[in-house]
Amino acid sequence: MGTEVKVPALGESITEATLGAWLKKPGDAVAVDEPVASLETDKVSVDVPSPVAGVFGEAMVAEGDTVNVGAVIATIGEGSGAAAASAAQAPEPTIPAPAAAKGGDISDEQAQALRLSPSVRRAVQESGVDPAGLTGSGKDGRLTKEDVAKAKSSPAPAAAAPAAAPAQASTPAAPKGERGEERVKMTRLRQTIATRLKDAQNTAALLTTFNDVDMTEVIAARTRYKDLFEKKHGIRLGFMGFFTKAVALAARDVPAVNARIEGDEIVYHNYLDVSVAVSAPKGLVVPVVRSADQMSFAEIEQAIAGFGKKAKDGTLTADDMKGGTFTISNGGVFGSLLSTPIINPPQSAVLGLHRIEERPVVKDGQIVARPMMYVALSYDHRLIDGREAVTFLVRVKEAIEDPTRLLIDL
């Protein structure tokens, strides 16, 4: 029968997952600890490693199935030397270009041969790009959504233009103006995001207050020290370090924003664990920078950059996103001017950052252009009063407009 491949422990309180994609197919050579499948949990994607070296045998569940921790999902047969090498070196079957019919869907067989994850498969379907001709930049050479997007935006080689796949030639084009629709099952992560956000609206008394911040001094500081900072620490100096430090300073004056409601009690934290919203291929995730109030600018920027890379590679763990006492969400990187962010339960507040743009403001009686940013604090009004919310945002504004306050603890 071979060695069983079981669903590994997925983190505290996580008992099941969805089989997102098979990374191996029957007959493939497998090394010990090499990923054979990708699981989607409520929080992250997790690769399932092979417990032994050998040849991939039988896949016992299908993509999209729900599996419990400890369940057997595949077998690894014995095989080494010539057998494993033969399986590893066997040429892949010739894969035709994606069919244009039915909105450009690629077949399940083709997707399996290319080992596409569900999100990448959908990107291929929507773009019409031929995945067989792409080189993957992801883990173990797997295709990523970025690879597909890059291929779509790049012009095709002139020599390839006359060639057309048989499937495309034999399939009539859809009538002009035809209206269609596509149904795609929500990933487990997306389902969890939807549930948690709706729970936040149903449970908390949500309210948002706004302010605007003059970014002149922070921009000047970054310009003045960015080269020295990168040379010393090996990472760029961004805005998140300034805002994280400003939040830590403001939370000392308004501790309720860093607290939570538990039953009929308020739990105050004497530490600041900042959940930083990061965009990942399968949705927004919020890894946690722990004890951020005790960290230097460099440590904060390094932690956030590390999470960003792990999110892109799909290697974030459940522990990376466990806990968190306050959230900072930067919609400005996508061009957002203003928004009302939703809190991340059981937290009681979230700070939303937005894009920086020059706007006319009055300084010393003169109308001048300044790089301004709107900031928004959404909070649970059951715990945080309006006066406290406004005070908190004013403290953040003061610290950003005069960064010296961050150094002398004012």
Side-chain angles (χ1 to χ4, degrees), residues 15-285:
T15 60
E16 63 181 21
T18 299
L19 198 294
W22 285 110
L23 308 180
K24 293 290 183 179
K25 59 182 184 294
D28 280 353
V30 180
V32 63
D33 291 331
E34 182 178 7
V36 297
S38 175
L39 300 177
E40 295 177 359
T41 74
D42 291 350
K43 298 180 178 179
V44 292
S45 293
V46 178
D47 284 342
V48 181
S50 173
V52 296
V55 177
F56 190 83
E58 178 186 4
M60 297 181 173
V61 296
E63 292 183 358
D65 285 355
T66 298
V67 292
N68 294 321
V69 171
V72 178
I73 59 173
T75 59
I76 304 296
E78 294 183 358
S80 60
S86 173
Q89 296 174 4
E92 293 285 344
T94 301
I95 302 173
K102 298 183 180 179
D105 290 354
I106 62 173
S107 67
D108 288 339
E109 292 81 1
Q110 186 181 343
Q112 278 289 86
L114 288 170
R115 302 172 191 169
L116 304 182
S117 69
S119 60
V120 176
R121 183 188 306 180
R122 181 176 184 184
V124 169
Q125 292 170 347
E126 293 175 345
S127 67
V129 171
D130 180 1
L134 304 183
T135 300
S137 62
K139 187 175 181 181
D140 299 325
R142 282 144 54 186
L143 285 181
T144 66
K145 291 175 67 176
E146 289 74 18
D147 296 329
V148 178
K150 184 177 179 180
K152 181 181 178 182
S153 62
S154 301
Q168 292 175 325
S170 62
T171 304
K176 185 177 180 180
E178 180 178 339
R179 288 150 51 89
E181 56 183 33
E182 177 187 9
R183 292 181 182 270
V184 179
K185 185 176 180 180
M186 293 174 69
T187 64
R188 181 174 292 271
L189 177 60
R190 176 52 59 186
Q191 293 178 46
T192 301
I193 291 172
T195 299
R196 287 177 61 83
L197 293 182
K198 189 58 182 173
D199 285 346
Q201 287 184 319
N202 293 339
T203 303
L206 291 177
L207 191 62
T208 304
T209 189
F210 304 92
N211 212 319
D212 59 357
V213 177
D214 186 341
M215 298 292 291
T216 300
E217 294 301 322
V218 166
I219 292 174
R222 289 183 69 222
T223 302
R224 188 178 306 120
Y225 298 114
K226 65 179 181 180
D227 292 337
L228 288 174
F229 187 89
E230 186 169 4
K231 183 177 180 180
K232 180 175 181 179
H233 300 290
I235 193 168
R236 295 177 60 189
L237 176 61
F239 291 121
M240 290 301 290
F242 288 94
F243 277 99
T244 301
K245 285 289 190 181
V247 165
L249 199 63
R252 295 178 189 174
D253 289 345
V254 189
V257 300
N258 191 39
R260 72 178 191 271
I261 293 177
E262 194 171 284
D264 59 356
E265 297 179 327
I266 300 174
V267 180
Y268 291 95
H269 306 286
N270 60 2
Y271 54 88
L272 179 70
D273 286 353
V274 177
S275 300
V276 181
V278 174
S279 180
K282 297 180 181 178
L284 200 67
V285 292

